[in-house]
Amino acid sequence: MKFCALSTFAVYGWLRLKLNRSPALIILTYHRVLPECSVEREQEQPGMIISPRNLQHHIEFIRSLGAVPVHLDEWLLKNETGEPLPALSVAFTFDDGWRDNYLHAYPVLRQQQIPATIFLVTGMIGKAETFWPEQVIELLRRPGIQLNDPALDWIEPYLGSLRNSSKPLSLLEADEVINRLKSLDDATIIQHLKDTTSRLTTVIFSVEQAPAILQARELKEMSGANLIKYGAHTKNHFRLNRLNRVDSLEEQIAGCQVDLEEMEINSVPIFCYPNGDITDKGETLVSEHYQAACTTKTGWNLAGCDPYDLHRFNLHDGNSYSSRTLLATLGRGLL
Ligand SMILES: [Zn+2]
């Protein structure tokens, strides 16, 4: 963003937040929390990451604006019953249930006493696998990978001009491929990736990696202090608009609720749409099983808002690395 436009959005954001007279809730969305020096950054989409230092800065800055940190479910309950709400509230949310939330976000949240909601993909808990975009990055960036390997034929149409590349892709190039792959449904991509690993003719050195997703013990530990609560982000992170069968939709939406209840953690009846993709049938099922839903639409939520259409601000290092860029991102989302 150019300096001038950035300043204009930042001033606009500041004015909107300061001059607001009706109780409003800002929901901040994060995904992964990784230190600047983390090697895991080399295997992740840049728009998914914030550093713990930057997260701490967000907390301090948003508080300096007068926003009161709240539990999302508690704000929604007060909103429903008509109880008084602060002029400006802020709810911190983390999508997907990454293990780094425990390792790098939780210490900051605990130290600052910030309530937060983590939206879990319950079918991933306790498993060694990670999500398919991260598997694609790992595959396309492996040292020695040959993009013309027959095992990669399925991905070839999604490589675009990169198909002739003779070396592993850069992070941004892999990011492009991920976006193109989103035209396929999630289960198909996951199956292709499984088949690929066993068929690759290239010699690959597989490195034993620590689990990337939160483990049951970590969920319980964070649950204990009542600072962290858990919402639903489906069972397998399947995008709802790619599911044609009703029983598949039910498994992802209702199945996640059952899993959360069985885990005996601090769960809340709030759903979060993977990739923000919503369908009519999906929306109906969500309203039957949950009391609220987070979208990827941008903006704040005013008292009396529709709890099934919650707007959020997606934040990462790239769009909020300073007070000015954070304010500009909020301001642009409030236009
Ligand atoms: Zn997600």
Side-chain angles (χ1 to χ4, degrees):
M1 217 188 296
K2 290 216 172 67
F3 185 81
C4 206
L6 197 124
S7 298
T8 307
F9 284 132
V11 169
Y12 178 75
W14 187 85
L15 286 171
R16 286 294 302 274
L17 295 171
K18 282 291 181 188
L19 301 178
N20 170 50
R21 292 288 167 263
S22 165
L25 168 69
I26 290 175
I27 306 176
L28 305 182
T29 305
Y30 301 93
H31 292 83
R32 305 202 64 175
V33 183
L34 295 169
E36 284 95 341
C37 58
S38 170
V39 289
E40 288 174 82
R41 282 178 175 255
E42 288 303 309
Q43 303 289 340
E44 188 52 88
Q45 297 167 280
M48 293 273 289
I49 312 171
I50 188 147
S51 71
R53 198 171 56 141
N54 204 5
L55 176 65
Q56 168 128 3
H57 173 252
H58 284 193
I59 293 168
E60 289 163 359
F61 183 72
I62 218 92
R63 268 187 166 146
S64 76
L65 293 172
V68 180
V70 294
H71 267 303
L72 179 55
D73 67 311
E74 291 174 12
W75 189 92
L76 289 166
L77 187 64
K78 286 183 182 168
N79 186 41
E80 193 189 324
T81 55
E83 280 181 63
L85 292 163
L88 187 61
S89 304
V90 58
F92 286 77
T93 66
F94 296 80
D95 286 8
D96 304 335
W98 293 95
R99 188 155 176 261
D100 52 57
N101 293 180
Y102 169 76
L103 297 172
H104 304 298
Y106 186 50
V108 176
L109 299 170
R110 195 175 44 193
Q111 197 241 337
Q112 298 280 330
Q113 285 298 293
I114 295 292
T117 305
I118 301 179
F119 291 104
L120 298 175
V121 179
T122 51
M124 301 283 284
I125 294 162
K127 304 269 167 63
E129 301 103 70
T130 183
F131 298 95
W132 70 254
E134 286 70 27
Q135 291 185 46
V136 168
I137 294 176
E138 193 272 330
L139 181 68
L140 298 179
R141 282 172 57 74
R142 273 184 205 183
I145 190 79
Q146 300 291 326
L147 295 180
N148 58 0
D149 191 301
L152 292 175
D153 280 354
W154 68 276
I155 213 170
E156 205 247 341
Y158 306 92
L159 291 174
S161 59
L162 304 167
R163 61 169 63 94
N164 299 319
S165 176
S166 56
K167 52 183 196 300
L169 300 190
S170 71
L171 208 44
L172 287 177
E173 287 169 338
D175 201 15
E176 273 176 46
V177 178
I178 289 168
N179 282 326
R180 291 197 201 105
L181 281 170
K182 285 184 180 174
S183 61
L184 294 175
D185 70 273
D186 301 274
T188 300
I189 301 170
I190 290 165
Q191 191 55 53
H192 277 309
L193 285 164
K194 264 195 190 126
D195 297 344
T196 303
T197 311
S198 57
R199 288 186 56 222
L200 270 179
T201 54
T202 318
V203 179
I204 297 296
F205 303 99
S206 63
V207 182
E208 198 64 33
Q209 287 183 331
I213 310 299
L214 282 164
Q215 305 287 291
R217 181 187 61 77
E218 295 151 356
L219 293 170
K220 288 247 185 224
E221 184 185 327
M222 291 195 285
S223 201
N226 204 38
L227 205 57
I228 307 296
K229 298 189 182 184
Y230 303 100
H233 198 34
T234 71
K235 207 172 166 82
N236 302 98
H237 207 268
F238 287 176
R239 289 160 295 150
L240 303 189
N241 62 343
R242 299 280 163 200
L243 297 174
N244 298 321
R245 294 167 50 138
V246 175
D247 57 347
S248 304
L249 274 173
E250 275 172 354
E251 188 188 9
Q252 292 303 315
I253 296 167
C256 187
Q257 181 193 33
V258 172
D259 289 347
L260 281 175
E261 283 165 7
E262 284 177 354
M263 282 195 286
E264 294 181 355
I265 49 176
N266 229 352
S267 66
V268 290
I270 306 175
F271 186 82
C272 175
Y273 291 97
N275 209 44
D277 293 324
I278 305 173
T279 60
D280 288 348
K281 183 61 189 164
E283 210 168 16
T284 305
L285 277 172
V286 166
S287 66
E288 285 168 10
H289 291 276
Y290 299 91
Q291 289 169 20
C294 287
T295 68
T296 50
K297 294 176 202 164
T298 307
W300 59 13
N301 305 280
L302 298 174
C305 65
D306 176 0
Y308 291 100
D309 188 34
L310 297 175
H311 292 208
R312 304 192 290 171
F313 293 92
N314 186 40
L315 300 179
H316 51 85
D317 282 338
N319 70 359
S320 53
Y321 53 85
S322 63
S323 304
R324 182 194 296 267
T325 50
L326 172 57
L327 256 186
T329 298
L330 297 178
R332 197 163 46 156
L334 288 170
L335 277 176

